[in-house]
Amino acid sequence: MFEVKGATFEINGKQILAPIEHTFHEGKVYGLIGHNGSGKSTLIKLLAQQQPVTEGDILFDHRPLRAWGTREFARQVAYLPQHLPSAENLTGRELVAFGRYPWHGLLGRHDQRDKAAIERAITLTHTEAFADRLVDTLSGGERQRVWLAMLIAQGSRFLLLDEPLAALDIAHQMEVLALVRTLCDELDLCVIIVLHDINMASRYCDELMALHSGQLLAHGAPDVLMHGATLEAIYGLPMQVMPHPNGEHRIAVAQ
């Protein structure tokens, strides 16, 4: 599990993230919500070791992050940044195969276990139709599914996803989040995901963490946070909350 113990982040003496205390467990989807600049991406980058904690600490499996080697950590935690690296001239299967890098290095030969992990990831993410196509020719939603397949091939227990729905239309957003939800449930993963759409977060996440101006404003199950006064404090505008027509979760509409 991840244990965030008073972790902060500063740039040139300016505090970007105030001290945060939280624990993330396997088997849950955590949604990081809040306005732009609230600290969501900063927190997920700290968890992913993309930038160092200024003060406080973050433990993974009871060990400080600084005590983990890069490849050792990547075998447990997979990170998908907001701006994806280039996949020029790579097929879907070739990109998925890069998920095995933490186990063998860049030039290591794949054995039967690696090949099985790659094919399993493709099957779990239903990306068979994209395996032999160039990644750059795929639609946004198709590309995100292939990148998720790469994370699954990595064999990690924790997935950190920074705004994976950016630039996707609503159909592809729901497709990607439904896949994330299924993978979490089937593989007992912990998924920590930065989201802008509160209704998507309410529908697919087990727990929400609301950040505002670098501070953890509220956290809890979606039903706990999906109230007009709480959402107005998070987003700064009046919101009306009502039951979804299917009755399974609540939805919010700006007034």
Side-chain angles (χ1 to χ4, degrees), residues 139-164:
S139 71
E142 292 167 348
R143 267 198 307 273
Q144 288 290 32
R145 285 170 60 187
V146 173
W147 279 98
L148 284 172
M150 188 199 74
L151 300 191
I152 298 302
Q154 193 168 322
S156 304
R157 298 152 45 211
F158 285 71
L159 305 185
L160 310 180
L161 311 178
D162 191 356
E163 297 192 39

Side-chain angles (χ1 to χ4, degrees), residues 56-207:
D57 214 345
I58 297 178
L59 309 182
F60 180 71
D61 282 355
H62 310 293
R63 291 168 55 191
L65 292 190
R66 60 184 175 276
W68 287 83
T70 302
R71 282 172 57 182
E72 179 191 22
F73 185 71
R75 292 173 183 173
Q76 304 296 327
V77 180
Y79 168 62
L80 194 64
Q82 180 180 348
H83 302 292
L84 297 175
S86 172
E88 187 176 0
N89 296 323
L90 289 177
T91 66
R93 181 174 279 104
E94 289 170 338
L95 178 60
V96 175
F98 275 110
R100 301 306 294 167
Y101 167 78
W103 301 92
H104 297 291
L106 191 59
L107 301 178
R109 294 176 61 86
H110 286 170
D111 59 22
Q112 197 57 45
R113 287 174 299 179
D114 298 305
K115 294 175 182 177
I118 292 164
E119 294 306 318
R120 173 175 175 267
I122 290 172
T123 299
L124 284 169
T125 54
H126 307 293
T127 49
E128 296 91 342
F130 317 134
D132 298 316
R133 291 177 55 187
L134 291 174
V135 174
D136 286 349
T137 68
L138 302 176
S139 71
E142 292 167 348
R143 267 198 307 273
Q144 288 290 32
R145 285 170 60 187
V146 173
W147 279 98
L148 284 172
M150 188 199 74
L151 300 191
I152 298 302
Q154 193 168 322
S156 304
R157 298 152 45 211
F158 285 71
L159 305 185
L160 310 180
L161 311 178
D162 191 356
E163 297 192 39
L165 308 185
L168 298 185
D169 61 42
I170 189 168
H172 284 118
Q173 288 180 25
M174 294 184 67
E175 179 182 275
V176 169
L177 281 178
L179 175 58
V180 166
R181 178 75 262 174
T182 298
L183 292 172
C184 174
D185 293 339
E186 291 185 359
L187 304 179
D188 198 34
L189 304 175
C190 172
V191 181
I192 305 173
I193 181 171
V194 174
L195 293 170
H196 282 290
D197 189 320
I198 183 60
N199 292 318
M200 291 289 191
S202 171
R203 179 169 182 172
Y204 291 102
C205 296
D206 298 299
E207 185 174 332

Side-chain angles (χ1 to χ4, degrees), residues 4-19:
V4 183
K5 294 181 172 292
T8 71
F9 184 69
E10 296 180 2
I11 297 179
N12 298 325
K14 179 181 179 182
Q15 190 173 74
I16 307 299
L17 195 68

